[in-house]
Amino acid sequence: MRTTKKTTAPRARSRLSAAIHETAAGLRRSGLMDKATLREFDASCLTVVAPLSAREIVAIRRRAGVSQGVFAHYLNVKPKLVSEWERGEKRPSGPSLKLLSLVKAKGLDAIM
């Protein structure tokens, strides 16, 4: 008996994108879409990560309605680092930049 591996969608942005992903996964299961194409599709659904300016970081935090200390707690960084980002002394990268991009796109609830 052949077992099939179920593909799991990245967290969908909307009901429409969830439906599109389910369709793509169905095409993969039926052999009409190859694995590489489904992976490319999944990657296209991910939150875009781009460099953020100090002003953008301040705006993201203010839109969330939290202090630098609370924002730092959500991002799992030190408040001093958030302050340095907001003054332009340092730039976020790696996981911190990804989290900031998620908060920018979806709000603070996205990382709670």
Side-chain angles (χ1 to χ4, degrees):
M1 182 174 188
R2 184 175 171 226
T3 60
T4 58
K5 183 178 178 184
K6 183 175 181 171
T7 58
T8 56
R11 190 171 214 175
R13 294 181 188 181
S14 68
R15 288 182 10 201
L16 176 61
S17 61
I20 292 169
H21 186 275
E22 183 58 34
T23 301
L27 290 170
R28 169 67 185 121
R29 284 191 299 272
S30 66
L32 298 173
M33 179 184 285
D34 65 14
K35 192 175 188 178
T37 303
L38 184 59
R39 268 188 299 220
E40 288 174 19
F41 176 80
D42 286 344
S44 72
C45 296
L46 297 175
T47 300
V48 176
V49 178
L52 296 169
S53 70
R55 281 189 170 161
E56 288 176 302
I57 296 167
V58 171
I60 292 166
R61 180 182 58 79
R62 286 185 177 159
R63 198 174 319 117
V66 295
S67 67
Q68 287 181 342
V70 171
F71 198 53
H73 183 74
Y74 278 103
L75 298 171
N76 199 32
V77 299
K78 302 225 182 268
K80 180 181 180 216
L81 183 57
V82 172
S83 177
E84 290 169 342
W85 289 340
E86 291 186 358
R87 290 191 315 264
E89 294 174 6
K90 290 190 176 181
R91 298 196 77 132
S93 63
S96 295
L97 184 56
K98 178 70 173 192
L99 288 173
L100 285 166
S101 297
L102 284 167
V103 173
K104 180 181 178 182
K106 301 178 183 187
L108 200 54
D109 288 344
I111 63 169
M112 291 176 74

